[in-house]
Amino acid sequence: MVPSTTTPTRDALVVGAGFAGLYAVHALRNTQHLDVIAVDAAGDVGGTWYWNRYPGARVDIESVHYSYSFDEDLQQEWRWSERFCAQPEILDYLGHVADRFDLRRSIRFNTRITSLTWDDDESLWTATTHTGETHRARHVISGAGTLSVPKKPEFTGISDFAGEVYMTGNWPHHEVGFEGKRVGIIGVGSSGIQAVSEIAKTAGHLTVLQRTPNYATPIGNAPTDPEQEAAEKADYSAIRDASRNHFLGVPYTDAQPSALAVGPDERREVFDDRWNRGGFRLFIDSFGDILFDKDANDTIAEYIRGRIRERVSDPATAELLAPQGYPYGTKRPPLETDYYEAFNRPNVDLVDVKSNPVDAVVPQGVRLADGTEHAFDVLVLATGFDACTGPLLAMNITGRDGLRLADHWTDGPQTYLGLMAAGFPNLFMITGPQSPSVLYNMPLAIEDHVDFTTAAIRYLHERGEDVIEPTSEAEREWVAHTNEVARATLLPDSPTSWYMGSNVPGKPRRPLVYLGGAPAYRATCDEVVAAGYEGFRLSPAGDRALAQA
Ligand code: N01
């Protein structure tokens, strides 16, 4: 589409109004005084917390840590009611941030980008939206998210289902009641597990269709303890520093080097302690080698299986729920409240759809491969996302010389620092593929990436340049480094994991997350900046030298 001559050219177009988009608008508009417009397909702010409003949706990093750190007054004044807050409260928080920093006036809601095209001559991006509107901007900052494109339902016949169908990743805004209804849920990742615990409480009958059992462990939620809150807020900046210097972006300090360096009793004591303290402590704060050494991993995997057997009354159901054959942590570990106890209720059944897969959705329910049918009034799809690359590819991005991002990424994502891609100038992918993103505490990962972006744009302006773009060589090296780091972990051993893209049929199986940890990643970014944006090429608008190189 040819942009209308009246289309204003902005300094920056921000995609999304979740944690990333909101902070990007604030940083670029309020602190750098740039002309910024943001768009979001949703009707309001919230990003992932706008769409994922299924029963039980809740954060699984403590809210005191899973929140913005950029404004001291904000973090002092905002009060979380629980240790791990539920979705409505996080949405309130993001609404509060939008109002407090006057962000809404820069955001066009109910606006989905359908294409994003770079103009080589003018060095500008043109975005077209689903309404046919165009926006032109020098820079695009994508806060489109990592887990924002739900995986398309893979079941034939789904449109013929006579009952109600809901997706956890795109839950309706109206109340959904389960009382007296026969509910089926497919998927037991973090979303399915949270939803099962809640839906089980009210459904007439709940059938959980499980393909791969998960290693879910207790979240350990509780109301906020005012004394603990006061202690945390007394030195919030120290907590944030400790978070930023931790692999996962939380201020945990108790990890011991190796599960194999201690005897079984001591190991059990550590596991028990982290289990009881909840959150990601078992995963990230028990022993440092569980993600790297299969024998170490076996010890924690067996520990969790033992805990599941203790909690589930029926031994056959317990065995089905106990994961086997893949290492703990190679699929993203879910955190739960009373998930395993749900299977002790008379109104909840577990059905193994690994040995007997879903064949089709039929008008009255779900038919399995052996011909058995399960009748449902409501079907919930908790089947996950086209993670990390999906949200970017959905924007139909075309860079220099007509290069399509979809073609550039045919064999998996290629980025420099998980932030930019060669051939796609001035396109910043906040928490993009091959950055620590979801293996870091997201609000902090977002702040780091937005701060990098803001500084890069300022640096360009100071030098009288307009365009920043990674070199192909820097990109190749980063991709190779990302793959090499992943190979040193157990992650590639997972049968299906969105970390590797292997949950989506046909998607290239590649590490989508940088596994070197947030501190190492931040150090690399700092070195790149200190060396004058090493690996990037800076140029004036309209310079086609790189395109022709
Ligand atoms: O998605 P998932 P999710 N037939 O991909 C099953 C974040 N999150 O939405 O494992 C049958 O983890 C699939 O089975 P299998 C968090 O980062 C955070 O739950 O492929 N089953 C699996 O069981 C999380 O990791 C929170 O064999 C099928 C499930 O669907 C990420 O979002 C809460 C199937 C998908 O699990 C994604 O979690 C929620 C099929 N054809 C989410 N296709 C917090 O707590 C898929 N499945 C902050």
Side-chain angles (χ1 to χ4, degrees):
M1 171 171 293
V2 179
S4 114
T5 47
T6 56
T7 304
T9 300
R10 316 270 185 175
D11 296 316
L13 167 70
V14 171
V15 182
F19 268 97
L22 291 179
Y23 180 53
V25 173
H26 171 67
L28 294 168
R29 194 200 70 190
N30 293 352
T31 71
Q32 301 300 308
H33 311 293
L34 299 181
D35 180 14
V36 178
I37 187 163
V39 297
D40 196 304
D44 201 351
V45 300
T48 199
W49 298 104
Y50 176 91
W51 299 105
N52 287 269
R53 48 182 75 215
Y54 58 84
R58 177 179 295 285
V59 69
D60 57 10
I61 286 180
E62 288 91 333
S63 293
V64 69
H65 308 313
Y66 185 94
S67 48
Y68 289 122
S69 71
F70 70 86
D71 188 274
E72 178 63 8
D73 290 341
L74 170 69
Q75 66 180 5
Q76 286 296 335
E77 288 165 24
W78 184 265
R79 304 202 56 190
W80 298 105
S81 69
E82 293 176 277
R83 210 172 148 212
F84 298 87
C85 279
Q87 174 268 342
E89 196 164 330
I90 303 166
L91 204 53
D92 285 351
Y93 169 74
L94 291 171
H96 169 78
V97 169
D99 293 336
R100 186 180 181 116
F101 298 99
D102 188 23
L103 304 177
R104 288 180 203 274
R105 68 180 159 88
S106 296
I107 307 170
R108 304 283 175 277
F109 294 109
N110 301 304
T111 303
R112 184 178 291 284
I113 289 182
T114 51
S115 74
L116 198 50
T117 306
W118 175 253
D119 180 327
D120 282 324
D121 295 322
E122 294 199 66
S123 298
L124 292 177
W125 284 101
T126 300
T128 306
T129 72
H130 77 290
T131 57
E133 235 181 30
T134 55
H135 297 278
R136 280 152 46 100
R138 177 75 73 210
H139 302 277
V140 172
I141 292 85
S142 170
T146 49
L147 293 157
S148 50
V149 173
K151 205 162 76 120
K152 287 196 186 74
E154 292 156 16
F155 311 106
T156 55
I158 190 103
S159 54
D160 300 328
F161 182 59
E164 306 155 60
V165 183
Y166 302 108
M167 296 181 83
T168 47
N170 188 4
W171 198 261
H173 285 229
H174 61 78
E175 193 67 34
V176 177
F178 300 102
E179 287 76 6
K181 292 183 183 165
R182 298 163 302 172
V183 183
I185 180 166
I186 304 179
V188 290
S190 303
S191 309
I193 281 173
Q194 288 183 332
V196 163
S197 303
E198 277 309 300
I199 297 172
K201 292 178 187 166
T202 57
H205 192 89
L206 174 64
T207 305
V208 182
L209 300 151
Q210 168 190 275
R211 190 162 66 183
T212 311
N214 234 316
Y215 293 95
T217 61
I219 193 166
N221 193 26
T224 296
D225 170 2
E227 266 181 43
Q228 191 183 350
E229 184 190 15
E232 283 161 345
K233 287 189 172 176
D235 199 356
Y236 222 142
S237 63
I239 289 184
R240 299 301 196 173
D241 284 349
S243 293
R244 284 197 153 89
N245 286 315
H246 183 275
F247 187 92
L248 192 76
V250 284
Y252 296 169
T253 52
D254 293 337
Q256 299 187 19
S258 170
L260 304 175
V262 295
D265 291 346
E266 196 179 328
R267 196 160 52 223
R268 168 108 206 168
E269 232 171 77
V270 170
F271 289 154
D272 283 347
D273 174 74
R274 307 303 188 268
W275 176 276
N276 293 333
R277 287 159 75 195
F280 278 118
R281 287 187 183 274
L282 194 64
F283 177 43
I284 208 75
D285 203 32
S286 56
F287 295 102
D289 56 351
I290 57 172
L291 211 50
F292 299 91
D293 185 307
K294 177 69 170 55
D295 292 336
N297 194 286
D298 284 346
T299 66
I300 195 162
E302 190 48 38
Y303 173 83
I304 297 170
R305 283 190 285 270
R307 287 291 204 160
I308 295 170
R309 291 181 189 116
E310 282 166 18
R311 293 171 64 183
V312 179
S313 320
D314 172 46
T317 305
E319 267 337 286
L320 261 185
L321 286 166
Q324 302 279 356
Y326 73 94
Y328 167 64
T330 57
K331 287 167 93 69
R332 204 271 202 175
L335 299 184
E336 51 80 37
T337 304
D338 294 339
Y339 171 64
Y340 292 107
E341 286 72 14
F343 295 93
N344 298 334
R345 302 174 73 111
N347 66 330
V348 178
D349 278 336
L350 181 66
V351 171
D352 174 20
V353 296
K354 183 174 229 98
S355 61
N356 188 14
V358 174
D359 175 40
V361 175
V362 292
Q364 60 282 8
V366 166
R367 187 178 62 223
L368 303 185
D370 71 353
T372 18
E373 286 190 6
H374 294 269
F376 300 129
D377 305 304
V378 180
L379 184 57
V380 176
L381 301 179
T383 44
F385 297 87
D386 182 355
C388 302
T389 51
L392 290 151
L393 293 173
M395 284 190 278
N396 188 16
I397 299 175
T398 306
R400 257 187 210 287
D401 285 336
L403 176 64
R404 292 175 64 239
L405 189 66
D407 293 332
H408 189 51
W409 286 3
T410 308
D411 296 325
Q414 303 197 57
T415 73
Y416 180 42
L417 301 175
L419 187 64
M420 297 193 86
F424 299 85
N426 289 4
L427 170 64
F428 298 89
M429 302 176 284
I430 304 305
T431 62
Q434 298 165 338
S435 76
S437 66
V438 288
L439 267 183
Y440 188 6
N441 176 356
M442 274 305 231
L444 302 189
I446 283 165
E447 287 181 340
D448 287 356
H449 262 187
V450 171
D451 290 347
F452 185 102
T453 301
T454 308
I457 293 174
R458 195 173 52 232
Y459 185 75
L460 279 179
H461 289 177
E462 284 165 1
R463 292 168 55 102
E465 308 278 19
D466 304 291
V467 177
I468 180 167
E469 175 182 1
T471 65
S472 297
E473 190 191 1
E475 183 180 86
R476 259 194 312 276
E477 281 173 13
W478 183 254
V479 174
H481 173 58
T482 300
N483 292 340
E484 188 190 328
V485 171
R487 274 195 297 274
T489 73
L490 299 172
L491 235 75
D493 295 355
S494 172
T496 57
S497 168
W498 62 260
Y499 283 159
M500 295 292 297
S502 49
N503 65 322
V504 176
K507 187 166 173 170
R509 192 184 170 98
R510 297 278 184 282
L512 295 174
V513 182
Y514 177 66
L515 284 151
Y521 175 79
R522 283 178 47 249
T524 302
C525 291
D526 290 348
E527 284 164 21
V528 164
V529 172
Y533 290 85
E534 191 174 19
F536 290 99
R537 180 179 182 274
L538 278 50
S539 57
D543 179 357
R544 295 176 55 87
L546 192 66
Q548 287 152 7

